[in-house]
Amino acid sequence: MKGSAVAFSLLALAVGGGLSGCSLGARHSGSAAIAGFLAAVQHDDQKAFEAALDRPALRSDLGEQLADVGKTHAVDVGDASEFALDRMISPQAIRLTAARVMPGWPATPTAAQIIPHMKAHGLHFVCLEEVSTKKCLLSFTQEDGVWRLTGMAFTPPPAEAPAAASAGPPVTTSDSEPP
C-alpha cells in the first residue's frame, strides 16, 4: 500500500512537471513572437503587423467587449461594424495597450523582458498581463506554428461629467466689462 502511494505521488509530480514544462515552452516560443510583433508595431511595419493578426478573432473579441460595456450601462449597442472594429485594431492602439503592461515597459521589449509578464494557458495560448490587475491585455494564439494576436483589452474612454457636458463654452470677462 505504501509503495502504491509513493508511485502515485511520483506519477503526479511527473505529470505536473510535464504540464509546467509545456507552459514554459509556450511562454518561450510565444515571447519571441510577441517581441517581434511589438517591434513591428513600434516601427509601423504594416505588413508584419497584419501578418501577426487574426483580424476576425480580434473583431469578434472587441465586438463582444463593446456589447458588454453597453449591457453594463443598460444600452443595446447592437453589433459594431467591421469598419469601426478595424479602426480599433491599429499599431497605435496596440502601443497604448502594450504600454499598460507595466510602468517603465520598453516600447520594444525583448523576449526575455516579455516572459515575466506572460500568462500561458496550455500550449497554444499566451497573454501579456497588466502588472497591477493581472488582466490579460494582449492575447496570442498559436495555430500551425504561428503566433497571432487574437484578443486585445478594450478600455472605454472615461465618462464625461454631466455638468461639463451641458455647461457650454466658457465665459470670459475683462475688468472693463461687467460679467
Side-chain angles (χ1 to χ4, degrees):
M1 177 89 143
K2 188 175 183 180
S4 297
V6 170
F8 181 74
S9 297
L10 288 174
L11 179 62
L13 285 173
V15 170
L19 290 176
S20 66
C22 292
S23 170
L24 290 175
R27 289 177 55 196
H28 183 293
S29 69
S31 66
I34 293 168
F37 172 71
L38 292 176
V41 165
Q42 190 61 29
H43 295 103
D44 286 320
D45 182 342
Q46 200 63 34
K47 185 176 178 180
F49 176 76
E50 288 297 327
L53 298 179
D54 181 340
R55 195 168 281 276
L58 277 169
R59 282 183 194 131
S60 175
D61 180 56
L62 289 168
E64 288 172 13
Q65 290 178 64
L66 288 172
D68 287 345
V69 169
K71 288 176 191 172
T72 300
H73 297 288
V75 176
D76 181 10
V77 296
D79 290 335
S81 71
E82 283 188 12
F83 176 78
L85 294 170
D86 282 340
R87 295 208 26 133
M88 295 172 68
I89 304 168
S90 68
Q92 180 184 14
I94 302 298
R95 283 192 292 270
L96 291 172
T97 304
R100 292 178 40 208
V101 171
M102 73 172 261
W105 179 254
T108 310
T110 65
Q113 291 170 316
I114 289 172
I115 286 177
H117 303 286
M118 290 176 67
K119 181 191 296 183
H121 299 278
L123 294 174
H124 305 287
F125 179 83
V126 296
C127 71
L128 287 179
E129 292 183 315
E130 185 172 34
V131 169
S132 60
T133 64
K134 299 294 184 197
K135 177 181 178 181
C136 283
L137 299 178
L138 296 169
S139 301
F140 297 83
T141 305
Q142 183 186 40
E143 191 172 311
D144 298 325
V146 179
W147 288 95
R148 289 196 173 83
L149 182 69
T150 55
M152 180 173 81
F154 168 72
T155 304
E160 190 174 4
S166 62
V171 177
T172 56
T173 60
S174 67
D175 291 337
S176 62
E177 296 178 20

